[in-house]
Amino acid sequence: MKGPFNMPGMRSKIPIEENNNKVEPTFSNGEKAGMALSLVLFLFGLSDGDLPLCFFTASFLVYEFHVVLKLARGNQDWFMSNLLKGMSIAMFIGSIMMVLL
């Protein structure tokens, strides 16, 4: 037995239409909070003269910037995106070395 919307009669609710046009945000809330905290720590490191902290936080900001670059340029500029990823990893390792040496 079919109901009014050509659905089985036992179903009591109209199915929710899926919205396939939904745009995913570039950054999650956690990433946004991490970038804000990283920026604050970067500015603190600049004012305090703490170079390893500046490198550590800048490496995170550079890593997140590669996402923005990839969105802005599409798949066209994958070289720059990979270059930024590599630079952020090198800055992170450099900041650890500065602390330990």
Side-chain angles (χ1 to χ4, degrees):
M1 182 174 149
K2 298 279 184 173
F5 296 105
N6 201 17
M7 297 185 313
M10 299 298 284
R11 182 176 243 171
S12 62
K13 294 183 181 178
I14 299 172
I16 299 172
E17 293 180 22
E18 292 184 22
N19 187 3
N20 294 334
N21 301 352
K22 186 175 181 182
V23 178
E24 287 193 29
T26 305
F27 297 109
S28 68
N29 289 338
E31 287 174 324
K32 290 176 190 173
M35 285 189 283
L37 181 63
S38 183
L39 183 63
V40 168
L41 285 173
F42 179 76
L43 293 175
F44 173 75
L46 279 179
S47 69
D48 199 37
D50 191 359
L51 192 61
L53 179 64
C54 288
F55 267 74
F56 185 77
T57 55
S59 71
F60 177 73
L61 292 172
V62 167
Y63 182 78
E64 291 296 335
F65 182 68
H66 95 273
V67 175
V68 174
L69 183 69
K70 190 180 281 187
L71 284 175
R73 301 285 296 184
N75 291 332
Q76 174 184 352
D77 212 4
W78 57 270
F79 174 76
M80 284 299 292
S81 178
N82 289 341
L83 183 74
L84 285 176
K85 275 193 229 179
M87 190 172 103
S88 69
I89 292 170
M91 288 174 69
F92 175 75
I93 293 171
S95 69
I96 300 297
M97 295 299 285
M98 279 191 246
V99 169
L100 295 178
L101 296 178

